[in-house]
Amino acid sequence: MNILKTSTEESLQYIRQSLTSEEMDHLEGTHFDRLIPHLFVTFGASGDLAKKKIYPTLWWLFRDNLLPKPTTFVGYARSKLTIQQLREKCHPYMKVKSDEAEKYEEFWKLNHYVTGTYDKQESFDLLNRELQKYEQGKIAHRLFYLALPPTVFESVTKLLRATCMGNKGWTRIIIEKPFGYDAISSQKLSDHLASLFNEEQIYRIDHYLGKEMVQNLMTLRFGNRVFNPSWNRDNIASVQITFKEPFGTEGRGGYFDEFGIIRDVMQNHLLQILSLVAMEKPASCHPDDIRNEKVKILRCIKELRLEDTVLGQYIGNPDVEDPKAHLGYLDDPTVPKDSNTPTFALAVLKINNERWDGVPFILKCGKALNERKAEVRIQYRDVPGDIFDGKAKRNEMVIRVQPGEALYIKMMTKSPGITFDMEETELDLTYGNRYKGLKLPDAYERLILDVFCGSQMHFVRNDELYEAWRIFTPLLHQIEKEKIQPLPYKYGSRGPKEADDMAKRNNFAYSGSYKWVKP
Ligand code: BG6
């Protein structure tokens, strides 16, 4: 647990500044996580994100003894709920094993719940009194997870700042997208947050930054001499970053229709991956050095133009058995009948710097497609001066984010035996084969633990967010103003054919002759 140790040291340093000498004496030589109480407050505790992600994550971290002790969990929401009712809501997502019953009871004993409004001083006074009760006048750290709709975000943050900040320990705020709706609204939100908290207190979650293979990108690139020197325009033809889901909006259409696939997935998850694939080597692994490089690469990307995109919207597919697939996006009762919101998008971005000039970065994402998959495909150029009559296929390095984490490099080899033929094969680091029985933590587990530890490496900084909105806002406004119609594609298909054509035009060669085998 190096990370916990480091943060412990950092946090101790921070706390020392605010302590009396008597308190310092008490602290010296004691193990930080045994000593400082932590309070984890979930706003929106009765909602979907809380039951599906936050509570299960807290339970797994607690179960695996990764949290500081003592940590007290406080749920806050408008609905009146008992802990028992909250527990019942969360239970289907907690994945409790039969031999964990005792620990599970222990976890719920540390949980409390406060009912209150999101806009009244009295409610926040009540919450603060409740928190003080658990602190018993001692130093304590406070973490606030804002699992809230944007409508109440401003009032909650203001009241939180005015009423619920920790006295002696630190206070950290975790927030989830949407971080605004476009460049202007996002800037307004950033300014609002900056007027209340320091950037060091704000943890903007993009849960793709908590995924194993996304976190591995830096190690792969900068920890291997073999890759980085060829990672440039002289050798790489195109880079494709893909997110596919095999299901539609399924009742979430109300939320989705306002945002669309570009805001939901491309502007955040895919662009974050792009910046890690394309950035220069940071000066060190310090979170700010890394985020400086990410911002720098985003600044080299021009605003996306409509002609560099293919937009799609799924329609029902009566040819398949699954009745869900018979319904198109517009058949979802929560979606307006004339919606032009894209559920699929392919976009080609170019990075105007010395390393990447001219290399297309193809971002592709969609709902109701033929499979679930997120991956990065670095496609190398054709071998120059061919002596094999065009038989050599391009090298491709595939970083498979999910499902089934893997890294494989497609390459040519001589067919074994008495022959001089060649065939496509791979160098294969499929985690399921290489690390048998390995259980990887969920993205939220890593990220929430990082907040306890004070590491902002895998969180989005305000200037990254600014650049991300700068790139996408003109296109998003154009789609809305000009009512650009997306192309129809069938539920369960690869998306509109035009997307494959655009990828091809952008130096992405698909031969279909190789298939990675999932273990
Ligand atoms: C979320 C999007 O950010 O990511 C969802 O809002 C999407 O629409 C989800 O389904 C995908 O996350 P994961 O971890 O299942 O790939």
Side-chain angles (χ1 to χ4, degrees):
M1 282 317 310
N2 275 346
I3 187 157
L4 202 55
K5 219 169 127 209
T6 315
S7 86
T8 301
E9 280 148 19
E10 273 173 15
S11 304
L12 276 173
Q13 230 176 26
Y14 176 78
I15 294 161
R16 274 193 189 103
Q17 295 158 6
S18 63
L19 296 181
T20 64
S21 56
E22 196 188 317
E23 284 168 331
M24 280 282 283
D25 287 348
H26 182 51
L27 197 60
E28 290 302 354
T30 330
H31 198 285
F32 158 84
D33 64 3
R34 304 274 146 207
L35 185 73
I36 312 281
H38 285 62
L39 297 167
F40 191 99
V41 182
T42 307
F43 281 105
S46 61
D48 234 37
L49 183 67
K51 78 173 177 201
K52 288 189 181 151
K53 281 287 175 200
I54 305 172
Y55 278 98
T57 303
L58 292 172
W59 152 238
W60 299 326
L61 290 172
F62 176 81
R63 179 199 60 193
D64 297 340
N65 295 320
L66 292 172
L67 293 183
K69 285 181 185 144
T71 299
T72 305
F73 309 99
V74 182
Y76 183 98
R78 284 181 291 213
S79 332
K80 277 202 172 125
L81 280 185
T82 61
I83 285 293
Q84 186 53 33
Q85 286 166 324
L86 180 65
R87 178 172 169 163
E88 277 159 23
K89 263 167 142 336
C90 299
H91 192 72
Y93 306 96
M94 303 292 260
K95 299 187 195 148
V96 189
K97 298 205 192 81
S98 54
D99 58 348
E100 294 166 350
E102 207 176 310
K103 191 110 194 181
Y104 193 55
E105 289 306 317
E106 240 181 88
F107 171 72
W108 281 108
K109 277 196 190 121
L110 295 168
N111 268 274
H112 305 272
Y113 185 84
V114 177
T115 307
T117 69
Y118 289 133
D119 56 0
K120 297 226 165 57
Q121 182 65 46
E122 310 87 84
S123 301
F124 283 72
D125 286 334
L126 174 73
L127 174 63
N128 193 44
R129 282 200 298 279
E130 187 78 6
L131 300 181
Q132 284 169 340
K133 207 162 81 191
Y134 307 123
E135 289 171 352
Q136 299 172 342
K138 300 204 186 106
I139 309 164
H141 299 319
R142 294 183 177 188
L143 299 88
F144 293 92
Y145 201 121
L146 274 58
L148 294 170
T151 42
V152 297
F153 199 80
E154 214 170 298
S155 65
V156 168
T157 41
K158 263 194 202 155
L159 286 162
L160 194 166
R161 177 71 185 88
T163 319
C164 296
M165 301 296 280
N167 279 333
K168 291 179 179 166
W170 45 249
T171 299
R172 294 180 183 149
I173 317 291
I174 310 164
I175 57 179
E176 283 268 349
K177 75 170 197 297
F179 306 124
Y181 186 75
D182 57 11
I184 294 173
S185 53
S186 168
Q187 191 56 44
K188 197 165 154 252
L189 179 68
S190 291
D191 292 345
H192 168 76
L193 286 171
S195 73
L196 302 172
F197 310 105
N198 302 327
E199 185 62 23
E200 289 69 39
Q201 294 178 297
I202 304 170
Y203 288 73
R204 293 180 195 82
I205 286 205
D206 180 315
H207 77 286
Y208 266 61
L209 292 179
K211 295 197 185 256
E212 179 68 29
M213 294 310 279
V214 177
Q215 295 199 343
N216 197 0
L217 282 166
M218 266 189 52
T219 313
L220 291 175
R221 289 193 58 197
F222 305 122
N224 291 297
R225 180 65 188 156
V226 71
F227 300 132
N228 211 32
S230 68
W231 207 266
N232 55 39
R233 65 193 298 272
D234 298 332
N235 299 288
I236 290 176
S238 62
V239 175
Q240 182 158 267
I241 305 174
T242 306
F243 164 99
K244 288 177 165 192
E245 264 180 354
F247 46 84
T249 46
E250 289 171 15
R252 211 170 144 249
Y255 155 80
F256 188 87
D257 198 67
E258 229 184 287
F259 290 89
I261 198 75
I262 296 177
R263 289 184 178 92
D264 192 43
V265 172
M266 190 181 274
Q267 181 263 4
N268 35 67
H269 305 329
L270 297 194
L271 197 68
Q272 280 294 332
I273 296 179
L274 177 148
S275 55
L276 288 166
V277 169
M279 72 181 190
E280 295 300 312
K281 190 193 275 192
S284 76
C285 287
H286 188 280
D288 273 331
D289 285 335
I290 295 168
R291 297 187 299 175
N292 287 345
E293 291 305 332
K294 284 166 76 187
V295 171
K296 217 156 85 190
I297 205 77
L298 294 179
R299 281 169 51 79
C300 298
I301 301 176
K302 288 210 180 77
E303 287 77 7
L304 179 60
R305 300 173 312 171
L306 183 64
E307 55 266 41
D308 294 324
T309 66
V310 173
L311 306 174
Q313 190 184 71
Y314 67 89
I315 54 172
N317 184 354
D319 304 334
V320 293
E321 252 179 54
D322 182 2
K324 276 194 201 129
H326 299 170
L327 299 179
Y329 180 66
L330 298 181
D331 300 319
D332 183 331
T334 56
V335 168
K337 287 286 159 253
D338 59 348
S339 169
N340 69 332
T341 300
T343 59
F344 174 99
L346 178 140
V348 181
L349 296 174
K350 299 272 174 63
I351 299 173
N352 183 32
N353 71 3
E354 202 162 337
R355 183 185 291 272
W356 294 117
D357 193 6
V359 179
F361 279 73
I362 304 162
L363 306 187
K364 181 164 105 177
C365 50
K367 302 252 173 202
L369 293 175
N370 56 339
E371 59 184 331
R372 173 168 184 253
K373 180 165 93 173
E375 66 174 23
V376 181
R377 239 160 235 271
I378 318 273
Q379 192 166 91
Y380 282 75
R381 288 179 183 276
D382 294 320
V383 175
D386 176 40
I387 54 168
F388 297 112
D389 301 329
K391 282 190 212 138
K393 304 264 167 51
R394 286 179 169 184
N395 290 135
E396 208 170 85
M397 175 163 167
V398 182
I399 300 149
R400 189 171 166 104
V401 176
Q402 66 184 36
E405 290 80 357
L407 167 77
Y408 56 95
I409 299 172
K410 296 196 318 199
M411 56 175 284
M412 302 307 297
T413 188
K414 179 187 143 326
S415 302
I418 306 176
T419 167
F420 199 57
D421 279 352
M422 62 189 338
E423 63 185 42
E424 264 181 303
T425 183
E426 74 284 305
L427 283 174
D428 180 13
L429 176 63
T430 295
Y431 278 38
N433 294 333
R434 177 64 182 79
Y435 304 108
K436 286 240 176 337
L438 172 79
K439 195 191 152 291
L440 289 168
D442 179 76
Y444 273 84
E445 266 178 273
R446 295 173 205 255
L447 296 176
I448 291 186
L449 189 59
D450 278 350
V451 187
F452 276 94
C453 294
S455 167
Q456 290 189 309
M457 182 188 290
H458 306 298
F459 293 83
V460 182
R461 208 168 62 184
N462 59 354
D463 48 354
E464 280 179 83
L465 194 59
Y466 173 88
E467 292 301 329
W469 279 119
R470 177 188 59 72
I471 294 167
F472 288 98
T473 295
L475 172 78
L476 290 165
H477 283 176
Q478 188 179 358
I479 294 172
E480 280 144 20
K481 265 196 212 120
E482 295 176 20
K483 299 220 175 327
I484 305 291
Q485 286 309 308
L487 300 163
Y489 64 95
K490 278 194 179 162
Y491 195 121
S493 67
R494 283 177 50 82
K497 187 186 160 297
E498 288 80 349
D500 285 339
D501 297 343
M502 185 172 278
K504 200 167 164 193
R505 284 201 303 279
N506 280 281
N507 217 351
F508 180 77
Y510 177 72
S511 64
S513 51
Y514 174 90
K515 186 106 185 101
W516 174 74
V517 184
K518 195 171 172 228

